[in-house]
Amino acid sequence: MRVLLIEDDAALSLGITRALLREGWQVDSLADGRQALAPGLIDQFELAVLDLGLPGADGMTVLRAWRAAGAKLPVLLLTARDELSDRVAGLNAGADDYLVKPFDLPELIARLRALKRRAEGRVSEVLRVGELSLDLSHRELSYKTDPVYLSPREFALTEILMQRVGRVVSKDAIVARLSSWESDFSENSVEVYVHRLRKRFAELGVVIRTVRGFGYVMECAGPQASDAAELHD
Ligand code: CA
């Protein structure tokens, strides 16, 4: 998941960034509200953590501008204790949740996970395909009851594909979700990682089918699915 963090307190911003990175999410951060108003910027993200008191443009202005431009991503506001009226205004302006400073990082993570779950229409933190299950809260992938170990990038890609089992995920969407401003993830690297995962999952009864010119579909390896994989590869 790719998260935009806008917080002008440098120490807090760093602490949150580290906590989100530990979740295996991609994080980009800004410290000035004006920068968050750049056209199209927010479209790169799936979730935003937005401080209300910001230099340049305050969090309310930023949030209103995003919603006016049609951005639908979940937004969690960070507010100071004395900003109660702002919190209410924030929720009215289209924020999905808020946290009052100071807060515990595990609570922030839990709330962001809940927002993500709701946005994806899921009720559980466990994604499944065939005998493979991925527990998002513990960041564990298992085949039946055995753990399957993956690198962080492989895990992130598996998560993206498992969120849309049986549906096509475009290569562009994968690149966007695995990139951050600091590290660009190319289409070639997507192919390399898909190739690795495909080998890995073949023995676990799961295939990653290529839809030529568009992207990939993860599904159970039935007789039909494996025929299709051969045709498309
Ligand atoms: Ca602030």
Side-chain angles (χ1 to χ4, degrees), residues 7-9 51-55 101:
E7 168 59 66
D8 59 320
D9 177 331
D51 184 27
L52 271 182
L54 288 169
K101 297 177 187 178

Side-chain angles (χ1 to χ4, degrees), residues 36-220:
L37 297 174
L41 174 126
I42 197 60
D43 302 337
Q44 305 168 34
F45 298 92
E46 292 155 85
L47 211 148
V49 178
L50 175 63
D51 184 27
L52 271 182
L54 288 169
D58 64 28
M60 283 297 299
T61 306
V62 171
L63 177 61
R64 286 204 185 98
W66 285 347
R67 293 301 186 220
K72 292 189 177 67
L73 82 173
V75 176
L76 182 142
L77 296 179
L78 301 179
T79 78
R81 199 157 285 284
D82 55 1
E83 292 171 328
L84 175 66
S85 57
D86 292 344
R87 290 204 289 277
V88 174
L91 292 170
N92 286 333
D96 298 273
D97 199 357
Y98 67 84
L99 265 180
V100 180
K101 297 177 187 178
F103 52 83
D104 291 329
L105 287 171
E107 181 172 9
L108 173 66
I109 300 289
R111 284 174 184 246
L112 293 179
R113 271 210 210 102
L115 287 179
K116 185 177 181 228
R117 213 161 47 222
R118 227 180 291 153
E120 289 166 1
R122 286 185 286 116
V123 288
S124 153
E125 282 293 297
V126 181
L127 306 174
R128 290 178 209 283
V129 53
E131 302 277 5
L132 209 57
S133 59
L134 191 156
D135 183 331
L136 293 168
S137 50
H138 296 99
R139 306 202 55 70
E140 285 167 358
L141 182 70
S142 324
Y143 174 67
K144 297 182 180 170
T145 51
D146 300 330
V148 177
Y149 299 104
L150 298 177
S151 73
R153 278 273 162 88
E154 290 170 346
F155 189 95
L157 177 57
T158 302
E159 180 182 343
I160 294 169
L161 293 171
M162 283 185 78
Q163 276 163 353
R164 297 180 62 87
V165 166
R167 289 176 291 165
V168 186
V169 184
S170 75
K171 215 186 263 186
D172 288 350
I174 296 172
V175 168
R177 286 186 56 180
L178 293 180
S179 299
S180 67
W181 293 333
E182 269 145 41
S183 65
D184 242 359
F185 203 78
S186 68
E187 290 207 359
N188 282 344
S189 23
V190 172
E191 284 165 22
V192 170
Y193 278 93
V194 165
H195 182 73
R196 271 193 225 164
L197 287 179
R198 191 175 268 155
K199 271 191 176 163
R200 196 74 197 281
F201 293 157
E203 59 205 49
L204 307 179
V206 169
V207 295
I208 303 173
R209 192 155 59 78
T210 302
V211 178
R212 207 169 275 294
F214 193 69
Y216 304 98
V217 186
M218 185 183 255
E219 55 198 11
C220 268

